Amino acid sequence: MNDLQHALGALAPDLSPGATTIVGLRRLSGGASQETWAFETDSGAPLILRRKPPGVTGSGNAVPLATEAALINAAAARGAPVPRVLAICAPDSDVGEAYVMSRVEGETLGKRIARDPPFAEVRKGLARRCGEVLAAIHDVPTEGLPPLAVSSAATELEKYEAVYRQMDARRPIFEAAFRFLKDRAPTLERPVLVHGDFRNGNLMVHPDTGLAAVLDWELAHLGDPAEDLGWLCTSSWRFGGSKPVGGFGDHEDLLAGYQAAGGAPIALERVLYWQMLGSLKWGCMCLTMYASYASGADASVERAMIGRRTSETEIDLVALLEAAA
Amino acid sequence: MISHPTAGELIDSVIRFIEERAAPNLKDRDAFHARVAVNALAAVRREIEAGATAEADQIARLGALLETDGDWESLNTLLCERIRDGAISPTDQALLAHLHASIIDQVRIDQPGYAGLKTLEAR
């Protein structure tokens, strides 16, 4: 931490005019693949550092941090609300692979955003605003972006079916969902920049001004624009809220905002398709997390119990299959 | 079967111990895990109460749906195969009726507070 304090201190003049060092460095979250730190410059600028922990090699689907930073800049250029990237640090720098961004005021806890009274006013326009912001992200020109994976519904299904088969779990609802979705997989006509994790919980929302920043770009890729809309509507991210879009809004408002901001029209049916794929994907992830308990890699009660959340995704899948039948 | 105490009473006593004595002395990650531990024990308690009936009901439905007899594991495996190879359509009404009843029973055990449970129960 002392080394990091020094390394960031040396960057201070680039981070804020008149700054000479940094203060108040503290770790915010303990993600396995990514560290998040908060600090201020001595001139008072509130900042966030996202850094890859030293010694950790690339994790699964996550893009390099420099790519994340480039995508945030590209989204900002289209008018999407994002933090301002102030410095990008190379893997061999004193800070390590990282970037520094402005600290945006607001709330990210999904439950508060979906249900708490201080957010009642901004909730009314939030689904529409999410539609507008997704249209802006999907409008980012893909030429000139750092290399990104391309994925379609078919390739996503292939990936998660392999994960499920490997688990040797026999879950008829997953079987039905895989069958249903594979038979109806939309073709990927024109891949756009997809955020990949655009959901309640990764959106910074201010009780007065609404959507303040779109965070967590590490799963960004090129793909079907409806993927982002469907993931935002996936039941697992409603946090007890009663409405389909993130627990806070309606499909119609999301789609209206998307189209009003210039997004190519997306049929509700296609959003529901990706919503179902989202539940299936999260269900497979719950099984994967349980598998780390079963293998002994993480013997915590939390890893064991998360396997019992798979059934939440299954009940959502049954509801969607019934609606589609 | 065994009483004085029953398994349910034992679980309740452990839940109370964690909530009233242990958890107040824990913080951060340990405090969070204590809450998860209580949820896990509560799920086990519900499974002891309702699991056997839910399994018997599933076996009866599976037998009718697949027109064959067997234990839960072999019937459930057969159902998975039939869906996978296309013999039973994922939108087949009889299949959905089985999945509907089974998943309601399971979520009542696993996560009875989950919002999606009310959605399906209302249908």
Side-chain angles (χ1 to χ4, degrees):
Chain A
M1 177 149 164
N2 254 343
D3 291 348
L4 185 56
Q5 167 81 36
H6 286 301
L8 286 171
L11 282 182
D14 300 335
L15 301 176
S16 174
T20 60
T21 186
I22 65 126
V23 293
L25 181 63
R26 60 214 180 264
R27 178 91 181 259
L28 289 186
S29 77
S33 63
Q34 246 35 284
E35 292 176 353
T36 306
W37 299 76
F39 63 97
E40 292 83 36
T41 60
D42 57 348
S43 57
L47 301 171
I48 291 285
L49 170 78
R50 244 167 102 74
R51 181 171 83 141
K52 189 184 253 186
V56 169
T57 49
S59 83
N61 306 316
V63 299
L65 286 170
T67 299
E68 252 186 74
L71 298 177
I72 290 173
N73 284 333
R78 305 311 293 182
V82 282
R84 210 150 52 83
V85 176
L86 298 166
I88 300 175
C89 309
D92 61 357
S93 69
D94 289 342
V95 176
E97 182 181 343
Y99 64 92
V100 178
M101 58 184 155
S102 60
R103 193 155 87 226
V104 179
E105 287 279 316
E107 179 61 74
T108 57
L109 279 180
K111 195 175 144 219
R112 291 197 186 145
I113 293 164
R115 291 163 65 181
D116 279 10
F119 293 90
E121 266 315 301
V122 293
R123 266 200 294 274
K124 293 177 189 163
L126 196 51
R128 188 182 170 90
R129 181 71 185 129
C130 285
E132 292 168 359
V133 169
L134 281 171
I137 294 170
H138 298 164
D139 193 37
V140 167
T142 53
E143 321 80 63
L145 291 180
L148 291 168
V150 183
S151 75
S152 63
T155 58
E156 287 287 291
L157 287 166
E158 206 177 304
K159 182 164 92 192
Y160 286 97
E161 189 172 3
V163 166
Y164 164 68
R165 300 277 169 225
Q166 196 197 341
M167 223 73 71
D168 202 29
R170 294 197 177 80
R171 310 197 67 120
I173 295 170
F174 280 10
E175 298 288 351
F178 276 121
R179 187 76 261 161
F180 181 92
L181 292 168
K182 284 202 282 189
D183 290 348
R184 291 158 182 80
T187 49
L188 184 58
E189 281 142 16
R190 194 181 62 85
V192 301
L193 173 63
V194 169
H195 177 279
D197 205 5
F198 193 100
R199 62 165 177 90
N200 192 3
N202 288 335
L203 305 174
M204 179 73 80
V205 178
H206 191 281
D208 300 328
T209 54
L211 185 54
V214 180
L215 308 174
D216 290 284
W217 288 75
E218 66 185 79
L219 298 178
H221 57 270
L222 302 178
D224 187 330
E227 180 182 346
D228 273 337
L229 285 82
W231 188 236
L232 176 62
C233 299
T234 296
S235 306
S236 312
W237 312 124
R238 292 180 192 169
F239 299 96
S242 56
K243 288 169 175 269
V245 182
F248 52 71
D250 292 310
H251 285 122
E252 294 70 24
D253 292 334
L254 173 70
L255 290 169
Y258 190 80
Q259 225 172 305
I266 295 176
L268 175 60
E269 199 189 1
R270 191 146 171 163
V271 176
L272 293 173
Y273 175 92
W274 280 99
Q275 188 178 316
M276 192 191 289
L277 207 164
S279 284
L280 181 57
K281 189 168 127 177
W282 181 242
C284 289
M285 289 178 181
C286 288
L287 283 182
T288 308
M289 288 185 271
Y290 157 73
S292 71
Y293 171 81
S295 73
D298 181 343
S300 72
V301 64
E302 188 269 335
R303 288 288 108 157
M305 193 54 188
I306 201 153
R308 290 289 180 114
R309 302 197 67 172
T310 313
S311 52
E312 295 180 357
T313 68
E314 289 173 315
I315 205 164
D316 295 329
L317 288 169
V318 170
L320 288 165
L321 283 167
E322 286 178 347
Chain B
M1 195 178 63
I2 303 177
S3 67
H4 303 79
T6 62
E9 285 178 302
L10 285 175
I11 291 171
D12 286 344
S13 74
V14 180
I15 290 176
R16 252 197 316 278
F17 171 74
I18 296 174
E19 284 183 331
E20 292 170 11
R21 308 297 307 168
N25 298 312
L26 301 172
K27 49 184 190 176
D28 302 332
R29 193 173 152 82
D30 287 335
F32 170 64
H33 281 193
R35 279 203 304 279
V36 178
V38 167
N39 290 341
L41 288 169
V44 173
R45 200 189 195 307
R46 291 186 294 267
E47 187 168 334
I48 290 170
E49 284 165 10
T53 311
E55 183 172 325
D57 290 351
Q58 269 208 41
I59 291 171
R61 283 194 307 268
L62 283 165
L65 181 63
L66 301 167
E67 297 173 322
T68 182
D69 293 330
D71 59 13
W72 179 82
E73 195 170 352
S74 60
L75 290 169
N76 186 61
T77 300
L78 182 60
L79 178 64
C80 287
E81 287 166 8
R82 294 261 173 97
I83 301 167
R84 190 181 179 185
D85 67 21
I88 300 178
S89 156
T91 54
D92 178 271
Q93 288 304 323
L95 170 69
L96 287 175
H98 166 67
L99 298 179
H100 182 113
S102 303
I103 198 60
I104 284 179
D105 284 346
Q106 192 180 340
V107 176
R108 280 178 180 161
I109 291 170
D110 288 345
Q111 305 286 348
Y114 186 61
L117 176 60
K118 281 180 212 76
T119 309
L120 215 62
E121 281 174 336
R123 284 191 187 167

